[in-house]
Amino acid sequence: MARAALLFVIAALAVVPAACASPDSLGGPAVAGRDRDDRPGSSFLPSPDEERLLRERTYARDLARTIGELPGVESARVHLSLADRSILSSDRSAASTAALVVRRARGEGPSEERLKAIAAAAVPGLTAAKVSVFLSDAGAAPEKTVFVGPIEVAASSAWKARACLGGLLGACAVLAAGLVWAGFRLRRSRPS
């Protein structure tokens, strides 16, 4: 009987550390599909703030992935701030807000209203009025550049750079000539 109890205690001691270990120490994420960066702390029981932060990051990541898969969207980034609805919160009237930064392919892709509606539908407690959308269109190919002396400038402004450098070179030449003239004059004025 004592031997069985001893074996039970040894087995329990072997299992408990593995069960209490944080997901980071085990080498993998706690939930499939969740990144390591999604866990704000490594505590066994996360605080309400850590849980809210985890929800924010999860919603933001999933929403960015959803928007990024829409036709005409090159990239999407989502910044999300969920309202604190806990009973201990001092400001329970605060609303959740979101900012979407979307890069579209040359005017294609979803409209601002559609993006607001998608965000409001994806995040509980978020309204379309509290979603800010920043759209940028992928521009044309970058302008051709040329070298003006040691400086690389846009081809359209090369003449301005040449004029500035020419003016500076001319000013340096005038100053050099003035120094040479002052030097000769100084030598002539000295008595021999």
Side-chain angles (χ1 to χ4, degrees), residues 53-67:
L53 182 60
L54 179 60
R55 278 194 314 275
E56 282 179 5
R57 289 180 179 177
T58 303
Y59 285 137
R61 184 195 63 232
D62 292 345
L63 184 56
R65 188 178 299 147
T66 300
I67 292 171

Side-chain angles (χ1 to χ4, degrees), residues 10-79:
I10 291 173
L13 291 176
V15 172
V16 169
C20 293
S22 69
D24 289 330
S25 66
L26 296 175
V31 178
R34 187 180 295 164
D35 299 327
R36 286 179 187 259
D37 292 338
D38 285 344
R39 287 188 306 277
S42 61
S43 62
F44 187 66
L45 294 172
S47 70
D49 289 336
E50 288 176 332
E51 288 178 355
R52 186 172 49 85
L53 182 60
L54 179 60
R55 278 194 314 275
E56 282 179 5
R57 289 180 179 177
T58 303
Y59 285 137
R61 184 195 63 232
D62 292 345
L63 184 56
R65 188 178 299 147
T66 300
I67 292 171
E69 291 175 358
L70 294 173
V73 174
E74 288 188 4
S75 65
R77 186 164 179 115
V78 176
H79 300 276

Side-chain angles (χ1 to χ4, degrees), residues 133-181:
V133 179
F134 303 95
L135 297 174
S136 68
D137 291 334
E143 189 175 347
K144 184 179 174 185
T145 59
V146 295
F147 282 93
V148 177
I151 303 169
E152 185 177 15
V153 297
S156 63
S157 61
W159 68 271
K160 293 176 188 174
R162 285 188 184 106
C164 286
L165 287 176
L168 287 173
L169 184 61
C172 287
V174 169
L175 285 174
L179 285 173
V180 169
W181 178 76

